[in-house]
Amino acid sequence: MEDGIILWEAHRAGAGGTELPESCLAAFEYGWGLGGRPEADVNVTSDGVMVSLHDSTLDRIARNLPEHLKGRPVSEISWAELQTVDVGWDEFPDQHITPLETLFAILKDHPERNMVIDYKRVKVSQLAEVINRFGVAGQITFASNDRGLLREFKQCAPAGRTKNWLGGPAEAIREKFAVLQQENFRGITEVQLHLNDAPGQQWRYALDPEFVAEALRITGENGVLLQVLPWKFEKADLDAILDLGVRSFAVDYPNKFKKICAVYFAGQVMKDQAER
């Protein structure tokens, strides 16, 4: 098999809120168009519509949010009200929150596409029921830092994938990973390590490269995919991670990520040819 990115995820609805507005359908199409798995964060409206929205309120991402909606949880806002809210930018106005059923319908029509659902505020059984109804469980990765929720989802939607994301200080990540290893990664198909900045070091991140390489070896031996989330990166940072053998990423800057990877793997090809 040729070397290359195995799987990558576009954080916060396909564009990370950095290259396109988050939580709108355009962002998901952007992530899919670049070959990634867009991520949906699930909230539920007051009348039971599951939608993709990272925060519990609209304050951070909405344009000209009406006073009566400021500070209100989405769980207290109806779907009809939510549809009136513009989450676009000046460059891309008239963008709106996406219902999960719209995304599942797209997956059903495009079996080559996949997406991630990061658990936020919904009953796992309710979410799994809709996923199973659309027949798209095999295209879904359910993500959480709660192993119990991941295993519950796996029971409700056996064809789905589960991702345990590990965040916080470096030592806490090491401890959480050790627990997963002790449990033989039961019910977990993917593990994501958060790479937080540690300024002033040649290796940019608080989680040291030796641990990342060891985690990659351990997960590989257990048939589990290891993914990293570097919150910030430049070419040298991404090159260093790729040199460890990591081939699965979640990123907030998908276009930047794709360009750096293209240059990296082109260089690998040229190096291999020169050594022949």
Side-chain angles (χ1 to χ4, degrees):
M1 177 174 143
E2 293 184 3
D3 190 19
I5 297 299
I6 296 171
L7 181 153
W8 71 276
E9 172 186 325
H11 199 216
R12 292 196 185 183
T18 60
E19 295 176 2
L20 274 179
E22 65 183 80
S23 296
C24 63
L25 187 55
F28 283 93
E29 289 292 350
Y30 182 72
W32 281 319
L34 288 173
R37 296 189 305 183
E39 178 204 45
D41 298 279
V42 186
N43 276 274
V44 183
T45 65
S46 62
D47 46 351
V49 178
M50 289 185 287
V51 297
S52 174
L53 180 68
H54 182 275
D55 302 353
S56 61
T57 70
L58 297 161
D59 295 57
R60 180 176 60 85
I61 66 170
R63 286 160 46 93
N64 305 314
L65 186 64
E67 285 295 327
H68 74 281
L69 294 180
K70 290 181 178 179
R72 283 179 60 188
V74 172
S75 60
E76 297 178 5
I77 300 173
S78 71
W79 170 238
E81 287 180 295
L82 195 60
Q83 286 180 290
T84 68
V85 176
D86 182 3
V87 297
W89 298 340
D90 290 346
E91 184 181 5
F92 303 109
D94 300 320
Q95 305 299 320
H96 301 278
I97 300 295
T98 308
L100 257 62
E101 290 204 5
T102 295
L103 298 173
F104 296 157
I106 291 172
L107 290 182
K108 186 173 183 178
D109 290 340
H110 296 273
E112 76 283 1
R113 293 183 176 185
N114 294 269
M115 64 178 285
V116 177
I117 294 178
D118 194 0
Y119 176 81
K120 286 293 185 293
R121 303 162 193 93
V122 65
K123 289 183 179 179
V124 172
S125 58
Q126 177 188 357
L127 175 64
E129 186 278 323
V130 179
I131 289 171
N132 289 332
R133 173 156 46 86
F134 276 86
V136 296
Q139 296 163 263
I140 298 290
T141 297
F142 180 73
S144 174
N145 63 347
D146 185 325
R147 304 188 311 284
L149 287 175
L150 294 171
R151 289 163 184 157
E152 180 184 352
F153 178 82
K154 194 67 173 171
Q155 288 182 334
C156 294
R161 298 179 294 266
T162 52
K163 178 168 67 180
N164 193 173
W165 59 263
L166 308 181
E171 187 56 37
I173 292 176
R174 294 189 191 95
E175 291 173 358
K176 294 170 188 175
F177 186 86
V179 171
L180 284 176
Q181 186 180 3
Q182 291 168 3
E183 296 175 347
N184 296 314
F185 302 93
R186 179 170 58 87
I188 310 298
T189 60
E190 302 175 18
V191 174
Q192 182 190 86
L193 306 178
H194 286 190
L195 298 184
N196 302 309
D197 269 18
Q201 302 185 57
Q202 185 174 1
W203 166 265
R204 179 172 188 158
Y205 306 107
L207 204 60
D208 60 86
E210 292 78 15
F211 174 78
V212 176
E214 180 66 2
L216 182 64
R217 181 190 67 80
I218 293 168
T219 51
E221 290 176 352
N222 285 272
V224 173
L225 178 72
L226 184 79
Q227 181 181 87
V228 299
L229 170 49
W231 295 104
K232 297 180 180 178
F233 59 86
E234 299 301 333
K235 183 178 183 302
D237 307 313
L238 209 54
D239 286 352
I241 300 171
L242 289 164
D243 284 345
L244 295 176
V246 175
R247 293 296 182 266
S248 182
F249 292 79
V251 294
D252 278 327
Y253 307 88
N255 192 43
K256 178 180 179 180
F257 167 77
K258 292 283 286 185
K259 288 191 287 188
I260 292 174
C261 287
V263 173
Y264 178 88
F265 288 113
Q268 295 296 106
V269 170
M270 296 300 292
K271 181 180 178 181
D272 290 344
Q273 290 180 346
E275 291 175 352
R276 289 178 184 172

